[in-house]
mmCIF file of all heavy atoms in Angstrom:
data_model
loop_
_atom_site.group_PDB
_atom_site.id
_atom_site.type_symbol
_atom_site.label_atom_id
_atom_site.label_comp_id
_atom_site.label_asym_id
_atom_site.label_seq_id
_atom_site.Cartn_x
_atom_site.Cartn_y
_atom_site.Cartn_z
ATOM 1 N N TYR A 32 6.839 -15.888 20.982
ATOM 2 C CA TYR A 32 6.203 -14.567 21.056
ATOM 3 C C TYR A 32 6.240 -13.889 19.691
ATOM 4 O O TYR A 32 7.264 -13.934 18.999
ATOM 5 C CB TYR A 32 6.954 -13.650 22.035
ATOM 6 C CG TYR A 32 7.011 -14.179 23.442
ATOM 7 C CD1 TYR A 32 7.952 -15.175 23.788
ATOM 8 C CD2 TYR A 32 6.161 -13.700 24.425
ATOM 9 C CE1 TYR A 32 8.016 -15.672 25.075
ATOM 10 C CE2 TYR A 32 6.223 -14.194 25.727
ATOM 11 C CZ TYR A 32 7.153 -15.175 26.040
ATOM 12 O OH TYR A 32 7.223 -15.662 27.313
ATOM 13 N N LEU A 33 5.146 -13.210 19.347
ATOM 14 C CA LEU A 33 5.136 -12.364 18.154
ATOM 15 C C LEU A 33 5.694 -10.996 18.555
ATOM 16 O O LEU A 33 5.193 -10.355 19.482
ATOM 17 C CB LEU A 33 3.705 -12.231 17.616
ATOM 18 C CG LEU A 33 3.536 -11.378 16.355
ATOM 19 C CD1 LEU A 33 4.377 -11.915 15.191
ATOM 20 C CD2 LEU A 33 2.053 -11.308 15.949
ATOM 21 N N ASP A 34 6.720 -10.550 17.855
ATOM 22 C CA ASP A 34 7.446 -9.343 18.238
ATOM 23 C C ASP A 34 6.873 -8.125 17.506
ATOM 24 O O ASP A 34 7.186 -7.885 16.347
ATOM 25 C CB ASP A 34 8.932 -9.520 17.909
ATOM 26 C CG ASP A 34 9.760 -8.358 18.416
ATOM 27 O OD1 ASP A 34 9.197 -7.438 19.035
ATOM 28 O OD2 ASP A 34 10.987 -8.381 18.183
ATOM 29 N N ALA A 35 6.050 -7.352 18.203
ATOM 30 C CA ALA A 35 5.470 -6.141 17.602
ATOM 31 C C ALA A 35 6.186 -4.890 18.112
ATOM 32 O O ALA A 35 5.651 -3.787 18.041
ATOM 33 C CB ALA A 35 3.972 -6.062 17.894
ATOM 34 N N LEU A 36 7.394 -5.068 18.637
ATOM 35 C CA LEU A 36 8.156 -3.925 19.151
ATOM 36 C C LEU A 36 9.529 -3.820 18.476
ATOM 37 O O LEU A 36 10.096 -2.733 18.370
ATOM 38 C CB LEU A 36 8.319 -4.066 20.668
ATOM 39 C CG LEU A 36 8.876 -2.855 21.404
ATOM 40 C CD1 LEU A 36 7.984 -1.633 21.188
ATOM 41 C CD2 LEU A 36 9.035 -3.149 22.880
ATOM 42 N N ALA A 37 10.040 -4.976 17.992
ATOM 43 C CA ALA A 37 11.314 -5.013 17.260
ATOM 44 C C ALA A 37 12.447 -4.334 18.035
ATOM 45 O O ALA A 37 13.205 -3.527 17.475
ATOM 46 C CB ALA A 37 11.145 -4.385 15.869
ATOM 47 N N GLY A 38 12.560 -4.663 19.329
ATOM 48 C CA GLY A 38 13.641 -4.080 20.122
ATOM 49 C C GLY A 38 13.571 -2.563 20.150
ATOM 50 O O GLY A 38 14.607 -1.894 20.155
ATOM 51 N N VAL A 39 12.354 -2.033 20.178
ATOM 52 C CA VAL A 39 12.063 -0.589 20.081
ATOM 53 C C VAL A 39 12.629 -0.021 18.765
ATOM 54 O O VAL A 39 13.567 0.779 18.756
ATOM 55 C CB VAL A 39 12.563 0.214 21.300
ATOM 56 C CG1 VAL A 39 11.939 1.608 21.293
ATOM 57 C CG2 VAL A 39 12.206 -0.490 22.606
ATOM 58 N N ALA A 40 12.037 -0.479 17.684
ATOM 59 C CA ALA A 40 12.318 0.057 16.337
ATOM 60 C C ALA A 40 13.740 -0.221 15.857
ATOM 61 O O ALA A 40 14.236 0.458 14.965
ATOM 62 C CB ALA A 40 12.026 1.557 16.265
ATOM 63 N N VAL A 41 14.382 -1.228 16.430
ATOM 64 C CA VAL A 41 15.766 -1.547 16.037
ATOM 65 C C VAL A 41 15.807 -2.674 14.997
ATOM 66 O O VAL A 41 16.453 -2.554 13.959
ATOM 67 C CB VAL A 41 16.607 -1.931 17.275
ATOM 68 C CG1 VAL A 41 17.943 -2.546 16.856
ATOM 69 C CG2 VAL A 41 16.825 -0.711 18.165
ATOM 70 N N ASN A 42 15.091 -3.772 15.294
ATOM 71 C CA ASN A 42 15.185 -4.963 14.447
ATOM 72 C C ASN A 42 14.224 -4.883 13.266
ATOM 73 O O ASN A 42 13.291 -5.680 13.145
ATOM 74 C CB ASN A 42 14.900 -6.219 15.280
ATOM 75 C CG ASN A 42 15.848 -6.353 16.447
ATOM 76 O OD1 ASN A 42 15.493 -6.156 17.609
ATOM 77 N ND2 ASN A 42 17.091 -6.661 16.138
ATOM 78 N N GLY A 43 14.469 -3.944 12.397
ATOM 79 C CA GLY A 43 13.595 -3.772 11.230
ATOM 80 C C GLY A 43 13.562 -5.008 10.357
ATOM 81 O O GLY A 43 12.534 -5.334 9.759
ATOM 82 N N LEU A 44 14.686 -5.708 10.277
ATOM 83 C CA LEU A 44 14.753 -6.927 9.449
ATOM 84 C C LEU A 44 14.308 -8.158 10.231
ATOM 85 O O LEU A 44 14.515 -9.282 9.776
ATOM 86 C CB LEU A 44 16.179 -7.131 8.924
ATOM 87 C CG LEU A 44 16.771 -5.978 8.110
ATOM 88 C CD1 LEU A 44 18.184 -6.331 7.655
ATOM 89 C CD2 LEU A 44 15.888 -5.627 6.910
ATOM 90 N N GLY A 45 13.716 -7.920 11.409
ATOM 91 C CA GLY A 45 13.337 -9.053 12.251
ATOM 92 C C GLY A 45 14.591 -9.653 12.870
ATOM 93 O O GLY A 45 15.642 -9.015 12.930
ATOM 94 N N HIS A 46 14.469 -10.896 13.320
ATOM 95 C CA HIS A 46 15.595 -11.548 13.988
ATOM 96 C C HIS A 46 16.253 -12.563 13.061
ATOM 97 O O HIS A 46 15.576 -13.243 12.299
ATOM 98 C CB HIS A 46 15.096 -12.241 15.262
ATOM 99 C CG HIS A 46 14.442 -11.268 16.205
ATOM 100 N ND1 HIS A 46 15.150 -10.451 17.038
ATOM 101 C CD2 HIS A 46 13.137 -10.943 16.388
ATOM 102 C CE1 HIS A 46 14.316 -9.671 17.726
ATOM 103 N NE2 HIS A 46 13.077 -9.957 17.346
ATOM 104 N N ALA A 47 17.571 -12.612 13.159
ATOM 105 C CA ALA A 47 18.365 -13.609 12.429
ATOM 106 C C ALA A 47 18.110 -13.588 10.921
ATOM 107 O O ALA A 47 18.002 -14.637 10.276
ATOM 108 C CB ALA A 47 18.104 -15.020 13.000
ATOM 109 N N HIS A 48 18.001 -12.386 10.358
ATOM 110 C CA HIS A 48 17.821 -12.298 8.898
ATOM 111 C C HIS A 48 19.040 -12.922 8.212
ATOM 112 O O HIS A 48 20.176 -12.496 8.427
ATOM 113 C CB HIS A 48 17.678 -10.839 8.475
ATOM 114 C CG HIS A 48 17.239 -10.689 7.054
ATOM 115 N ND1 HIS A 48 18.060 -11.009 5.993
ATOM 116 C CD2 HIS A 48 16.058 -10.281 6.522
ATOM 117 C CE1 HIS A 48 17.407 -10.788 4.860
ATOM 118 N NE2 HIS A 48 16.192 -10.357 5.154
ATOM 119 N N PRO A 49 18.842 -13.940 7.367
ATOM 120 C CA PRO A 49 19.984 -14.707 6.848
ATOM 121 C C PRO A 49 21.026 -13.845 6.127
ATOM 122 O O PRO A 49 22.232 -14.077 6.287
ATOM 123 C CB PRO A 49 19.346 -15.706 5.874
ATOM 124 C CG PRO A 49 17.875 -15.665 6.131
ATOM 125 C CD PRO A 49 17.547 -14.443 6.920
ATOM 126 N N ARG A 50 20.583 -12.853 5.346
ATOM 127 C CA ARG A 50 21.585 -12.058 4.601
ATOM 128 C C ARG A 50 22.343 -11.120 5.520
ATOM 129 O O ARG A 50 23.526 -10.845 5.307
ATOM 130 C CB ARG A 50 20.916 -11.307 3.452
ATOM 131 C CG ARG A 50 20.765 -12.224 2.231
ATOM 132 C CD ARG A 50 19.621 -11.835 1.348
ATOM 133 N NE ARG A 50 19.781 -10.503 0.790
ATOM 134 C CZ ARG A 50 18.761 -9.759 0.350
ATOM 135 N NH1 ARG A 50 17.519 -10.223 0.428
ATOM 136 N NH2 ARG A 50 18.976 -8.581 -0.151
ATOM 137 N N LEU A 51 21.670 -10.615 6.559
ATOM 138 C CA LEU A 51 22.372 -9.775 7.538
ATOM 139 C C LEU A 51 23.392 -10.620 8.314
ATOM 140 O O LEU A 51 24.548 -10.227 8.498
ATOM 141 C CB LEU A 51 21.376 -9.130 8.505
ATOM 142 C CG LEU A 51 22.054 -8.276 9.581
ATOM 143 C CD1 LEU A 51 22.420 -6.905 9.033
ATOM 144 C CD2 LEU A 51 21.189 -8.147 10.812
#
Side-chain angles (χ1 to χ4, degrees):
Y32 300 80
L33 180 58
D34 186 1
L36 190 59
V39 194
V41 168
N42 302 107
L44 303 180
H46 302 280
H48 191 290
R50 277 153 62 203
L51 178 80

